[in-house]
Amino acid sequence: MQAPQFKDFAKEMVDYIANYLENIRDRRVLPEVQPGYLKPLIPAEAPEKPESWEAVMADIERVIMPGVTHWHSPKFHAYFPTANSYPAIVADMLSGAIACIGFTWIASPACTELEVEMLNWLGKMLGLPEEFLASSGGEAGGVIQGTASEATLVALLGAKAKAIKRAQEDHPEWDETTIISKLVGYTSNQSHSSVERAGLLGGVKLRSLKADSNLQLRGETLEAAIKEDLAEGLIPFYAVCTLGTTNTCAFDRLDELGPVGNKYNVWIHVDAAYAGSAFVCPEYRHLMKGIETADSFNFNPHKWMLVNFDCSAMWLKEPYWIVNAFNVDPLYLKHDMQGSAPDYRHWQIPLGRRFRALKLWFVLRLYGVENIQAHIRRHCAFAKQFEALCVADSRFEIFTTVQMGLVCFKLKGSNDLSEALLKKINGRGKIHMVPSKVNDVYFLRMAVCSRFTEAEDIDYSWKEVSAAADELLAEKSKRNVPDGTAMCATVLLTHPISLYLC
Amino acid sequence: MQAPQFKDFAKEMVDYIANYLENIRDRRVLPEVQPGYLKPLIPAEAPEKPESWEAVMADIERVIMPGVTHWHSPKFHAYFPTANSYPAIVADMLSGAIACIGFTWIASPACTELEVEMLNWLGKMLGLPEEFLASSGGEAGGVIQGTASEATLVALLGAKAKAIKRAQEDHPEWDETTIISKLVGYTSNQSHSSVERAGLLGGVKLRSLKADSNLQLRGETLEAAIKEDLAEGLIPFYAVCTLGTTNTCAFDRLDELGPVGNKYNVWIHVDAAYAGSAFVCPEYRHLMKGIETADSFNFNPHKWMLVNFDCSAMWLKEPYWIVNAFNVDPLYLKHDMQGSAPDYRHWQIPLGRRFRALKLWFVLRLYGVENIQAHIRRHCAFAKQFEALCVADSRFEIFTTVQMGLVCFKLKGSNDLSEALLKKINGRGKIHMVPSKVNDVYFLRMAVCSRFTEAEDIDYSWKEVSAAADELLAEKSKRNVPDGTAMCATVLLTHPISLYLC
């Protein structure tokens, strides 16, 4: 493909994208296809000869769109939002054209340096304490990871390296295998499954601690667990504090966990994947009280801050524990210009990295802080709007306090009833939600996801929930319960979603 | 930003990209900036109010481009190529607009299903045995990973899970910690540093075995190591076979390693990150002889197959070892539709994933197999062209056989002399190369990287090398050796590159 064809093709794609997004509300949010739908639509082998770009363009509606779940429709309320914005799309175009691999400073200085500065911008926007920021002039700093699950793993590996070092100093007679077998980390039973997975991947024990009745992990629970483990000769080393859980958007008590972590030399990692974006609004910062006691903090601009996936922002007070844990040839570091020029390949699991800071730069400049705040506040208000509609209907009840852009609700009555309601909602195909289950209570999650959402969309979604309930309860009253033959997609979707976060 | 502004901005960016790439040859390939150059060029904080897209556009040349290393310039010969093509850029635009997170089939069926089919297309193009492909109808299949380093780690974790299971069956009295402490994997002393890092991350021993005089790892070397370790009561479980090493593009003897691996129940992972793309040309497939004996195979279309980063293709004969190792809630699998619809979140380290199969689909259709073959063959011919120029100059010598698009060469004489030459070349700034060092011999690597490269570019690069040598040798003859005060960038670049692959 030569430049003139590229220009035609790319500009046609620009128009297609604008048209797709501006009219996304008109598409069925959840596809009706069955597994295997795509295979018969394309040849079994790649073509020998090149095809025209017009042929490819035509196949988007024929092959791809029938199988797309439209995450950016105002009718999409599943999982948590994933970001999408025009500035981010254009920035990614530039990133694709420069197409550098920023594993070291010299491999493309702009790629590393813009990332350092954007993490400073972002950290200041959120009100992170100075001691997390490279702009403080110390060792600390931020980095863009691919996903929150990688950030959790990276922090765990840093904490592990730090704990091993300390144990070796205290007990020179212990070998590394012995030390690792004694390490124990902590998380809440409400935290995301990726935390448990980080423990598996990192080869260390992670204890799941019980959250309180508000689904928040408390300091006294952590301290009791640490004391138990110390008494058994174990080495507590790492705890994950979730600000905004996947199930219900509950906030662990960082103000209690942090001091406990500091007291016992336990690395506190804050996972604020979804809710962290809200800290751009000062009125939500009380939810991260105690942040100065944490060792690492992570949130996903690619969730709720209009920066397309992947862009997971992470700050570390002591990044050298990560750098040393990942560095397979420490001699190399001696030639480094740490501080002014971090070698980000040592800060992450993969070695290669795209020029992702461009997305942050474009989005922050083209929205401005005030419009990002407005975006967050609008979503929170939409959740309140939905909550009010739900509360006004005596058939329904709210499950846990509404936080941020998430409403957890259920039909009064058995789990089966709410599960049947969800099947009906997804089966009707007009809106899309997924459920969760906490303390054996099954509930539906209405997440405000789209940047196109208006108050009318929330009304629409509520009417759809209500209509599905009408239908279900009418059927129930005739003792004609749905028989579970809904399409496989909706069957799948009745399982709780705790795995689905990124 | 609203749709009309997006259209204007994005179309302006399309023109900018075409102009940038078509005229990339005219830019200085390596930037002249110093660490910290960018910070004074932008404000210390994000703007409160939105800026205009025109202001952002204008800043690309002012802020970004001075710090860009131009990986797609025909004058860029460092590392290995990273891919860049017009069809891939347009595909990524669409991926950014759909912006689904394809962690499960239902989260966007098209995202999962196109990936399954594209990995079938790609596997057939490379001549991979049927038993790796989902189209075979068995358990096997392909997946897009972010980087080759992640694929190496994923394969290691699968091999580890398989070995633990077998050891538990053979020795029910051993606990998992005991088993893990006995596991030992193997790699060549020529393999990429990410293999060593995978061992660190996976918490297992990896032995570095000596390659032969052709820098190939041989079967008898692996077998001797396995026998030694078995005699010591260890459990050999994993071996990495590199096809196309970073240092010199050497090919381990898969035809020997594979049978040894099969004999001793050692998982053979093939890392063909760069060179794998060449197997699209039948004349290079003899270099992967024995592929049917491997357990997993990985190469990076984002290196040499015109698909922008990130797109690392991996096939597994038995993906369930990975799926089980990563799955934190096996109950979920019971509702799965494996085969027709893999849940790719279980196949990788992160949970989230973009719609990357679109890039493969666009590139394969808009180039066609024949043009991808032509691209590979052109690069290989350019390497031969450079080799011939080098051989014709009696001051130079070739280091190891030229393979694919890589020429390893040096000035006759000491390491210091070649190191000084490289400093001079990078200091002159007209072309860019990085060095390597094998068996204490320092040499320069000339990798053919750009899809824009023409025969005249190779002549240009050779003339530049030759001119730098003229200068250096003239200075030497006056006993006026360069004093090492070259800019810091070039100082950094004289260190071997074994870390820099992705």
Side-chain angles (χ1 to χ4, degrees):
Chain A
M1 170 168 264
Q2 301 302 313
Q5 290 79 46
F6 162 67
K7 288 189 192 183
D8 291 345
F9 184 25
K11 288 176 183 179
E12 178 96 1
M13 186 59 83
V14 168
D15 290 333
Y16 181 86
I17 288 171
N19 185 52
Y20 168 68
L21 288 173
E22 297 298 317
N23 298 294
I24 198 165
R25 203 182 263 101
D26 303 336
R27 293 182 186 254
R28 191 185 202 277
V29 60
L30 198 61
E32 293 187 279
V33 298
Q34 298 291 322
Y37 89 95
L38 186 139
K39 190 187 178 85
L41 301 180
I42 63 170
E45 295 185 19
E48 275 299 306
K49 303 272 176 198
E51 298 181 55
S52 71
W53 69 259
E54 290 88 348
V56 171
M57 199 75 213
D59 277 353
I60 296 171
E61 285 296 329
R62 186 181 70 86
V63 177
I64 303 301
M65 285 299 165
V68 170
T69 302
H70 300 287
W71 282 62
H72 303 285
S73 167
K75 298 169 180 171
F76 181 94
H77 300 299
Y79 319 115
F80 270 138
T82 191
N84 178 308
S85 73
Y86 291 134
I89 292 171
V90 181
D92 260 348
M93 289 164 63
L94 180 60
S95 172
I98 294 175
C100 61
I101 304 294
F103 39 44
T104 58
W105 177 82
I106 189 60
S108 217
C111 181
T112 293
E113 296 203 13
L114 190 66
E115 187 162 330
V116 171
E117 296 309 316
M118 287 306 101
L119 274 288
N120 284 333
W121 280 20
L122 210 49
K124 291 175 191 173
M125 282 170 61
L126 261 54
L128 286 187
E130 266 291 300
E131 57 258 49
F132 281 103
L133 308 185
S135 57
S136 71
E139 294 280 353
V143 61
I144 300 175
Q145 302 284 356
T147 59
S149 47
E150 286 167 277
T152 304
L153 176 58
V154 163
L156 179 142
L157 294 171
K160 182 179 166 186
K162 186 175 180 177
I164 290 171
K165 176 109 190 303
R166 204 177 56 238
Q168 281 170 336
E169 284 166 7
D170 294 350
H171 298 277
E173 73 280 13
W174 290 350
D175 64 12
E176 197 168 302
T177 312
T178 305
I179 296 169
I180 292 171
S181 73
K182 292 176 190 289
L183 294 179
V184 56
Y186 307 93
T187 185
S188 154
N189 61 3
Q190 293 303 304
S191 71
H192 188 254
S193 63
S194 60
V195 180
E196 185 188 344
R197 200 160 101 140
L200 285 179
L201 288 168
V204 290
K205 278 184 285 296
L206 272 193
R207 280 183 63 182
S208 177
L209 305 180
K210 196 165 161 34
D212 72 5
S213 59
N214 293 318
L215 306 177
Q216 303 175 298
L217 183 60
R218 304 298 298 266
E220 59 190 11
T221 309
L222 177 63
E223 184 158 21
I226 290 175
K227 283 182 173 171
E228 266 174 36
D229 290 333
L230 285 172
E232 298 207 7
L234 298 178
I235 307 172
F237 82 109
Y238 182 61
V240 175
C241 167
T242 306
L243 299 183
T245 61
T246 309
N247 285 329
T248 63
C249 203
F251 287 72
D252 289 341
R253 288 293 295 271
L254 178 56
D255 58 332
E256 297 176 357
L257 299 173
V260 171
N262 293 172
K263 181 173 166 190
Y264 293 96
N265 264 320
V266 166
W267 180 302
I268 300 287
H269 173 66
V270 177
D271 174 4
Y274 162 65
S277 293
F279 301 140
V280 74
C281 302
E283 67 269 29
Y284 291 117
R285 287 188 195 154
H286 66 96
L287 291 167
M288 66 165 178
K289 190 178 164 200
I291 182 65
E292 70 286 352
T293 59
D295 296 278
S296 49
F297 176 86
N298 170 248
F299 88 105
N300 290 346
H302 72 228
K303 277 203 163 57
W304 203 14
M305 206 183 260
L306 299 160
V307 182
N308 277 55
F309 186 88
D310 51 339
C311 180
S312 183
M314 180 184 196
W315 290 264
L316 297 137
K317 280 187 185 164
E318 298 178 334
Y320 45 87
W321 292 111
I322 313 290
V323 168
N324 291 340
F326 284 6
N327 190 351
V328 289
D329 189 349
L331 276 176
Y332 276 82
L333 270 189
K334 295 183 181 163
H335 308 280
D336 228 331
M337 286 166 280
Q338 287 288 354
S340 61
D343 268 354
Y344 276 135
R345 75 181 187 282
H346 296 309
W347 294 50
Q348 60 178 19
I349 307 285
L351 293 183
R353 49 205 334 271
R354 287 180 304 134
F355 198 163
R356 292 177 292 198
L358 286 172
K359 289 191 284 203
L360 276 169
W361 198 42
F362 279 34
V363 167
L364 299 181
R365 293 180 69 183
L366 291 169
Y367 277 90
V369 174
E370 65 177 28
N371 281 315
I372 291 170
Q373 290 172 329
H375 170 70
I376 299 289
R377 288 172 181 143
R378 274 167 58 85
H379 274 202
C380 294
F382 291 145
K384 291 289 178 192
Q385 179 188 344
F386 190 91
E387 178 187 24
L389 292 163
C390 191
V391 165
D393 187 327
S394 62
R395 299 172 298 175
F396 288 88
E397 61 190 344
I398 299 293
F399 182 77
T400 77
T401 316
V402 171
Q403 292 275 26
M404 306 294 161
L406 181 69
V407 183
C408 299
F409 68 103
K410 59 187 290 296
L411 277 169
K412 289 174 184 164
S414 72
N415 283 350
D416 289 350
L417 197 62
S418 286
E419 187 165 342
L421 176 67
L422 185 73
K423 266 188 196 168
K424 198 162 274 297
I425 290 170
N426 284 327
R428 287 163 63 101
K430 295 186 179 172
I431 63 171
H432 179 32
M433 293 182 190
V434 293
S436 197
K437 201 174 196 176
V438 169
N439 298 334
D440 283 328
V441 179
Y442 182 103
F443 56 92
L444 286 69
R445 293 169 74 265
M446 195 293 298
V448 181
C449 290
S450 170
R451 70 182 170 88
F452 298 104
T453 302
E454 301 287 345
E456 299 75 49
D457 293 306
I458 298 298
D459 284 336
Y460 177 93
S461 292
W462 170 254
K463 279 182 191 143
E464 181 57 21
V465 168
S466 177
D470 292 345
E471 225 179 274
L472 178 71
L473 296 172
E475 285 166 6
K476 287 289 278 187
S477 72
K478 289 191 234 160
R479 300 193 168 237
N480 180 13
V481 184
D483 63 5
T485 56
M487 68 170 198
C488 50
T490 48
V491 172
L492 264 180
L493 288 167
T494 57
H495 299 290
I497 66 135
S498 61
L499 275 178
Y500 310 141
L501 180 69
C502 54
Chain B
M1 169 167 267
Q2 301 302 313
Q5 289 79 44
F6 163 68
K7 286 190 194 183
D8 290 344
F9 184 24
K11 288 176 184 180
E12 178 95 0
M13 186 61 82
V14 168
D15 290 333
Y16 180 86
I17 287 170
N19 185 52
Y20 168 68
L21 288 173
E22 296 298 317
N23 298 295
I24 198 166
R25 203 180 264 101
D26 302 338
R27 294 180 186 257
R28 192 186 201 277
V29 60
L30 198 62
E32 292 185 279
V33 298
Q34 297 292 320
Y37 90 94
L38 186 139
K39 190 186 177 86
L41 300 180
I42 64 171
E45 294 185 19
E48 274 300 307
K49 303 272 177 199
E51 299 182 53
S52 72
W53 68 260
E54 289 88 347
V56 171
M57 199 76 213
D59 277 352
I60 296 171
E61 284 297 327
R62 186 181 68 87
V63 177
I64 303 299
M65 283 299 163
V68 170
T69 303
H70 301 287
W71 282 62
H72 303 285
S73 166
K75 297 169 181 171
F76 181 93
H77 300 299
Y79 320 115
F80 270 138
T82 191
N84 179 306
S85 73
Y86 291 133
I89 291 172
V90 181
D92 261 346
M93 291 164 62
L94 180 61
S95 172
I98 294 175
C100 61
I101 304 294
F103 39 43
T104 58
W105 178 81
I106 189 60
S108 218
C111 181
T112 295
E113 297 203 14
L114 190 66
E115 187 162 330
V116 171
E117 296 308 316
M118 286 306 101
L119 272 289
N120 285 333
W121 279 21
L122 210 49
K124 291 175 191 174
M125 281 169 61
L126 261 54
L128 285 187
E130 266 291 299
E131 56 258 48
F132 281 103
L133 307 185
S135 56
S136 70
E139 294 281 355
V143 61
I144 300 176
Q145 302 284 356
T147 59
S149 47
E150 287 168 277
T152 303
L153 175 58
V154 163
L156 180 142
L157 294 170
K160 183 179 166 187
K162 185 175 180 178
I164 289 172
K165 175 109 191 303
R166 204 178 56 237
Q168 281 171 334
E169 285 167 4
D170 294 350
H171 298 277
E173 72 281 12
W174 290 351
D175 65 11
E176 199 168 302
T177 312
T178 305
I179 296 169
I180 291 171
S181 72
K182 292 176 191 288
L183 294 179
V184 55
Y186 306 93
T187 185
S188 154
N189 61 3
Q190 293 303 304
S191 72
H192 188 255
S193 62
S194 61
V195 179
E196 186 186 343
R197 198 159 104 140
L200 286 178
L201 289 168
V204 291
K205 279 185 286 294
L206 272 193
R207 281 182 64 181
S208 177
L209 306 179
K210 194 165 164 32
D212 72 3
S213 59
N214 293 319
L215 306 177
Q216 303 175 297
L217 183 61
R218 305 296 299 265
E220 59 190 11
T221 309
L222 176 63
E223 184 157 22
I226 290 175
K227 283 182 175 170
E228 265 173 39
D229 290 332
L230 286 172
E232 297 207 7
L234 298 179
I235 307 172
F237 82 109
Y238 182 61
V240 175
C241 168
T242 308
L243 299 183
T245 61
T246 309
N247 285 329
T248 63
C249 203
F251 287 73
D252 289 341
R253 288 291 296 270
L254 177 56
D255 59 331
E256 297 176 356
L257 299 173
V260 171
N262 293 173
K263 181 174 167 188
Y264 293 96
N265 265 320
V266 167
W267 179 302
I268 299 288
H269 174 65
V270 177
D271 174 3
Y274 162 66
S277 293
F279 301 141
V280 73
C281 303
E283 66 269 30
Y284 291 117
R285 288 189 194 152
H286 66 94
L287 292 166
M288 65 165 179
K289 190 178 165 200
I291 183 63
E292 70 286 351
T293 60
D295 295 278
S296 50
F297 176 87
N298 171 248
F299 87 106
N300 289 346
H302 72 228
K303 277 204 162 56
W304 202 15
M305 207 184 258
L306 299 160
V307 182
N308 276 56
F309 187 88
D310 53 338
C311 181
S312 184
M314 180 184 195
W315 289 264
L316 298 136
K317 280 186 185 164
E318 298 178 334
Y320 46 87
W321 292 111
I322 313 290
V323 168
N324 292 339
F326 284 6
N327 190 353
V328 290
D329 189 349
L331 276 176
Y332 276 84
L333 271 190
K334 294 184 182 163
H335 307 280
D336 229 331
M337 285 165 280
Q338 288 286 355
S340 61
D343 268 353
Y344 276 134
R345 75 179 187 283
H346 296 309
W347 294 50
Q348 60 177 20
I349 306 286
L351 293 182
R353 52 206 330 273
R354 287 181 304 134
F355 199 162
R356 293 177 291 197
L358 286 172
K359 290 190 282 201
L360 276 170
W361 198 43
F362 279 34
V363 167
L364 298 182
R365 292 179 70 183
L366 291 170
Y367 276 90
V369 174
E370 65 177 27
N371 280 315
I372 290 170
Q373 291 172 328
H375 171 70
I376 298 290
R377 288 173 181 141
R378 273 167 57 86
H379 275 202
C380 294
F382 290 145
K384 290 290 178 192
Q385 179 189 343
F386 190 92
E387 179 187 22
L389 292 163
C390 192
V391 165
D393 187 326
S394 62
R395 298 172 299 176
F396 287 88
E397 60 189 345
I398 298 293
F399 181 77
T400 76
T401 316
V402 171
Q403 292 274 26
M404 305 294 161
L406 181 68
V407 183
C408 300
F409 68 103
K410 60 187 290 295
L411 276 170
K412 288 174 184 165
S414 72
N415 283 350
D416 289 350
L417 197 63
S418 285
E419 188 165 342
L421 175 68
L422 186 73
K423 266 188 196 167
K424 196 161 275 296
I425 290 170
N426 284 326
R428 289 163 62 101
K430 296 187 178 172
I431 62 172
H432 180 32
M433 293 182 191
V434 292
S436 197
K437 200 173 196 176
V438 169
N439 298 334
D440 284 326
V441 180
Y442 183 101
F443 57 92
L444 286 72
R445 294 169 74 266
M446 196 293 298
V448 181
C449 290
S450 170
R451 69 181 169 88
F452 298 105
T453 302
E454 301 288 345
E456 300 75 53
D457 293 306
I458 298 297
D459 283 336
Y460 177 92
S461 293
W462 171 253
K463 279 182 193 142
E464 181 57 19
V465 169
S466 177
D470 291 344
E471 224 177 276
L472 177 72
L473 297 173
E475 285 164 6
K476 288 287 279 186
S477 73
K478 288 190 239 162
R479 297 187 171 244
N480 180 14
V481 183
D483 64 5
T485 56
M487 67 171 202
C488 52
T490 48
V491 171
L492 264 180
L493 288 167
T494 57
H495 298 290
I497 66 137
S498 61
L499 276 177
Y500 311 143
L501 180 70
C502 53

